[in-house]
Amino acid sequence: MISLFKKFEEEGILGINRRIGEYILPYNPREYYPLVDDKWKTSELARQFHVPMPYHYGVVDTFGGIRGTKELIHGKPGFVVKPANGGMGNGILVITGESESINGSMLYHKVDGKKITEKELYHHVSGILSGLYSLDGNSDSCILQERLECHSFFREISYRGIPDIRVIVFLGYPVMAMLRLPTKESGGRANLHQGALGVGVDLRTGTLTHSVCNDKNIYQHPDTKQELSGRVIPHWETILEMASRCYDMSGLGYLGVDIVLDETRGPLLLEMNARPGLGIQIANRMGLRDRLQLVEKVKDSADGPKTRVHRMFQEL
């Protein structure tokens, strides 16, 4: 066991305790957590900093307002229902369209091909409001959000859903990134805990490298059967600059930034995370500690997002 810990140390693997004690607690002031935990507050903050996000159709924050959900999303070409304070993809419902049932009520088509009724949709919103999916278990609000159009780059390597790109940012400098690809097992969601793929990304070029699913190395998508390594993510430098800007926007020194690529609008901020997981190290077959220590040596408070990104390119 001691030799295993020594091996992790030599490879620069960041563990949970060190992540909390050396990075989250010292660099993430608690008063800023609501800005990233509450997705509605995140969207307001992003608007002030001119960081593009998916459009919000509205928010339901009272049980009495649940029946108004239908009007907020009527006629929209798909939409997303999500808890404002949710985490790990829990409680997110992706609707691709709507149709009218025999009795005149609406049917909503989910991304997995199944349908739900108006009553089932309202029940889901009610569960969100009751705090069923919230990070702290307290009552929550429900956000109704634009459903994005998957960028053509992902169409042959992803199973339904919308992939996202997780970037770890330390003191404004992007240090590591991975692509998360939905699978049939994950229900079309880009969440590793639900069976999505994690694909390492070369930070300088945006080139896909190693892939992992359920903690096992793989070489092609289990559903599309497409090879993944060697492909280059479009708009890569813009993605990293957006992630870097989230440091200035949130005030958090150590955070995970999730970005999606829309076919029409390009890179969009999906959300920020004050307690990003460590699976990104597995996907990249590389520890985070060396990159974090590098930032501590080269950081400059005068650097802006573009400069920080290019400085990391020079140092890697």
Side-chain angles (χ1 to χ4, degrees):
M1 182 64 72
I2 293 176
S3 62
L4 182 62
F5 285 139
K6 185 177 180 180
K7 188 174 188 304
F8 285 170
E9 185 80 15
E10 291 172 349
E11 295 186 0
I13 302 297
L14 182 67
I16 293 175
N17 292 339
R18 182 163 271 166
R19 178 195 62 165
I20 295 172
E22 296 184 12
Y23 297 100
I24 292 180
L25 290 179
Y27 292 104
N28 289 356
R30 290 288 302 182
E31 63 264 30
Y32 296 149
Y33 277 40
L35 298 177
V36 298
D37 287 347
D38 188 319
K39 296 173 182 61
W40 187 259
K41 291 181 179 178
T42 299
S43 68
E44 290 297 301
L45 191 65
R47 183 176 55 81
Q48 296 172 27
F49 278 79
H50 307 289
V51 174
M53 287 191 71
Y55 298 126
H56 285 176
Y57 297 138
V59 61
V60 180
D61 50 17
T62 66
F63 288 96
I66 290 177
R67 290 198 172 275
T69 303
K70 182 178 179 180
E71 284 68 39
L72 289 172
I73 47 81
H74 180 64
K76 300 293 189 297
F79 57 92
V80 177
V81 182
K82 59 169 55 176
N85 290 282
M88 296 195 303
N90 295 324
I92 295 179
L93 183 64
V94 181
I95 302 297
T96 60
E98 62 182 16
S99 60
E100 194 168 312
S101 67
I102 296 175
N103 63 11
S105 64
M106 298 306 297
L107 289 174
Y108 298 100
H109 304 249
K110 299 199 301 180
V111 70
D112 61 5
K114 298 178 181 178
K115 299 177 183 178
I116 61 172
T117 63
E118 278 183 36
K119 185 177 180 180
E120 289 170 324
L121 176 64
Y122 294 160
H123 181 73
H124 186 78
V125 174
S126 176
I128 290 176
L129 296 183
S130 67
L132 186 61
Y133 309 104
S134 68
L135 290 168
D136 55 14
N138 293 326
S139 57
D140 204 352
S141 298
C142 175
I143 294 174
L144 302 169
Q145 188 180 77
E146 165 194 21
R147 178 176 177 263
L148 303 174
E149 181 184 357
C150 186
H151 193 281
S152 53
F153 171 77
F154 300 116
R155 285 179 186 157
E156 69 173 21
I157 62 171
S158 181
Y159 180 84
R160 298 180 177 175
I162 301 291
D164 66 35
I165 299 149
R166 160 65 59 88
V167 182
I168 299 295
V169 178
F170 182 47
L171 300 178
Y173 295 81
V175 293
M176 193 170 287
M178 73 171 167
L179 170 65
R180 298 186 294 198
L181 293 171
T183 64
K184 185 176 182 180
E185 180 184 348
S186 71
R189 298 176 182 174
N191 190 283
L192 300 186
H193 296 89
Q194 297 171 337
L197 268 67
V199 187
V201 184
D202 181 276
L203 200 67
R204 280 179 294 193
T205 66
T207 304
L208 303 187
T209 57
H210 315 290
S211 304
V212 64
C213 185
N214 295 321
D215 296 329
K216 295 180 180 178
N217 293 326
I218 61 171
Y219 301 95
Q220 61 179 216
H221 194 290
D223 304 307
T224 68
K225 307 305 180 185
Q226 293 291 322
E227 298 287 337
L228 302 172
S229 64
R231 300 171 187 260
V232 180
I233 298 176
H235 308 289
W236 184 243
E237 194 166 319
T238 300
I239 289 169
L240 292 184
E241 288 177 18
M242 184 182 293
S244 175
R245 190 173 294 112
C246 287
Y247 161 70
D248 306 299
M249 187 168 80
S250 69
L252 297 173
Y254 181 80
L255 74 158
V257 179
D258 297 339
I259 293 172
V260 291
L261 266 182
D262 181 73
E263 178 67 15
T264 304
R265 300 178 61 200
L268 302 173
L269 172 65
L270 187 63
E271 61 183 54
M272 296 181 284
N273 194 315
R275 320 163 193 81
L278 298 170
I280 194 169
Q281 298 177 112
I282 301 174
N284 282 276
R285 299 185 188 177
M286 180 187 305
L288 269 166
R289 286 187 58 220
D290 290 345
R291 298 272 178 97
L292 296 171
Q293 291 170 353
L294 174 63
V295 170
E296 290 176 323
K297 294 177 182 177
V298 304
K299 69 179 187 297
D300 187 331
S301 59
D303 285 348
K306 184 182 288 288
T307 303
R308 292 192 291 251
V309 169
H310 282 275
R311 184 168 295 217
M312 282 305 296
F313 288 169
Q314 294 167 3
E315 296 293 334
L316 293 177

